[in-house]
Amino acid sequence: MLPLPAHAVSADAILAAKPPKLLSEFGFFADGGRQVPAEGVIPYHLATPLFTDFAEKFRFVHVPAGQSATYNPDEAFDFPVGTALIKTFAFPADLRAPDRDVRLIETRVLVRQEAGWQAWAYVWNAEQTEAELKIAGAKVDIAVTGKDGAPLAFTYAVPNKNQCKGCHAFDGEVAPLGPKARNLNVDHPYASGAENQLAHWTSAGILSGAPAPAEAPSVPVWGDAAAPTEARARAWLDTNCAHCHRREGPASNSGLYLTWGEEDRVALGVGKRPVAAGRGSGDRAFDIDPGRPDNSILLYRVESTEPGIMMPEIGRTQTDPEAVALLRRWVEEMR
């Protein structure tokens, strides 16, 4: 591999059959420790992101020069070969101050090659100067101050390559989850000023076929108290559960489909009995029992941190009390 000019993304590294040992070999960052992207790498965020043990996330996209992703109103965009989706997980020393004393933990890289998407995880060193490939995953001890002001300590799990496939499966293929129109249809604070992400991607030439943002689907920010409770709850379930619980997903045999556009109330779990009883049901009768969250399996599994019961199955060891409160209110108000 030839030496790269400063701050240049390496197409060779993205397309290589064997992934680089070090994250810096991709050339995604002008300053990795500060998460400053290189030229041709664009930051983005999701309106409602996946909960991952309170981790902060820094997302970036790189599309090869002269090419663009194809817009899709419902699913992740169709990205060209040579694309990279980059996501760094980090923890501030105090969860109440997310911008201060931030420690980078891992950066996940999803690259589009001729044969399909490949997923790799890189773990940052203590000096925060470099991240190293960890195909088998890793465990990282986290000790921070929680949102309630109390000490919070747990072991964070960096997924192995097979676990990546567990969530990023769509019709039997590895696929991106986050970059969908409804989750990108929100302003992002770019260095040049705030701008809608769909409009920015279009003007940057990395997205084609997108309508004006007002004509594209959108989901609310799940923590926005001004938005309707049902829409916030459905947005949370769409991001946190629907990658498996959808007709094309790994949990399709459950009959529980939690995608944003699902209109069948029974498929959504309302008044639906589980396909199998057992400890995963918590002796509750329905996936969602309208007005009765404590008789709803969905609440039981989202509140749990016990392996084999908790949902999602991977990606967290903690419970998000704010999300549980939102889902509880949604079920309580449901008729």
Side-chain angles (χ1 to χ4, degrees):
M1 190 177 300
L2 295 174
L4 291 172
H7 309 159
V9 175
S10 169
D12 288 346
I14 291 173
L15 299 175
K18 184 178 180 181
K21 181 179 179 181
L22 301 176
L23 179 65
S24 60
E25 295 179 58
F26 285 107
F28 293 140
F29 297 104
D31 184 337
R34 296 174 54 233
Q35 293 291 284
V36 177
E39 184 176 350
V41 179
I42 297 176
Y44 71 97
H45 77 278
L46 306 182
T48 290
L50 178 75
F51 172 74
T52 317
D53 284 348
F54 306 103
E56 296 293 324
K57 297 170 185 173
F58 305 98
R59 292 178 174 83
F60 306 90
V61 57
H62 165 74
V63 176
Q67 301 187 56
S68 61
T70 301
Y71 176 82
N72 185 314
D74 302 313
E75 305 295 347
F77 302 148
D78 183 12
F79 291 92
V81 170
T83 293
L85 299 169
I86 308 116
K87 181 166 61 174
T88 296
F89 295 68
F91 287 91
D94 187 331
L95 298 183
R96 298 168 298 179
D99 297 329
R100 299 207 313 253
D101 298 326
V102 176
R103 174 191 174 195
L104 308 180
I105 302 300
E106 61 155 328
T107 295
R108 300 179 191 175
V109 179
L110 196 60
V111 297
R112 179 75 166 88
Q113 300 184 336
E114 289 286 356
W117 290 93
Q118 294 289 334
W120 312 109
Y122 292 78
V123 176
W124 284 87
N125 60 17
E127 296 77 19
Q128 304 280 272
T129 56
E130 183 61 275
E132 184 176 354
L133 177 66
K134 297 291 182 184
I135 292 178
K139 302 289 186 183
V140 182
D141 291 331
I142 303 295
V144 298
T145 299
K147 291 188 174 182
D148 60 357
L152 175 63
F154 58 92
T155 299
Y156 175 88
V158 177
N160 62 44
K161 187 165 178 58
N162 286 331
Q163 288 173 320
C164 293
K165 295 177 181 177
C167 290
H168 285 270
F170 181 71
D171 273 346
E173 301 288 338
V174 174
L177 298 175
K180 298 173 182 173
R182 58 182 178 271
N183 245 326
L184 293 171
N185 195 0
V186 63
D187 283 359
H188 183 86
Y190 297 101
S192 56
E195 184 181 9
N196 180 279
Q197 295 182 116
L198 295 179
H200 187 85
W201 285 31
T202 297
S203 63
I206 68 168
L207 177 64
S208 60
E215 299 174 4
S218 64
V219 296
V221 177
W222 77 272
D224 180 3
T229 298
E230 180 175 5
R232 294 166 58 201
R234 291 291 304 273
W236 191 92
L237 292 171
D238 183 50
T239 295
N240 285 272
C241 307
H243 46 276
C244 288
H245 282 281
R246 58 176 300 164
R247 287 176 170 79
E248 308 85 350
S252 60
N253 60 355
S254 70
L256 179 66
Y257 308 132
L258 300 174
T259 47
W260 173 253
E262 183 59 56
E263 296 180 350
D264 184 332
R265 277 172 58 90
V266 176
L268 192 59
V270 181
K272 174 185 172 303
R273 294 188 182 277
V275 294
R279 71 188 192 99
S281 70
D283 294 325
R284 302 184 184 190
F286 301 98
D287 288 343
I288 295 176
D289 191 356
R292 302 178 65 193
D294 289 326
N295 197 41
S296 300
I297 297 169
L298 185 145
L299 263 297
Y300 175 67
R301 304 196 72 164
V302 170
E303 287 182 300
S304 176
T305 56
E306 185 176 344
I309 294 178
M310 71 175 183
M311 286 288 172
E313 293 179 319
I314 60 174
R316 72 175 180 95
T317 62
Q318 305 294 303
T319 297
D320 184 350
E322 295 178 10
V324 169
L326 170 64
L327 296 173
R328 176 172 290 278
R329 187 180 319 124
W330 175 50
V331 175
E332 285 174 342
E333 295 174 354
M334 190 181 294
R335 296 294 180 267

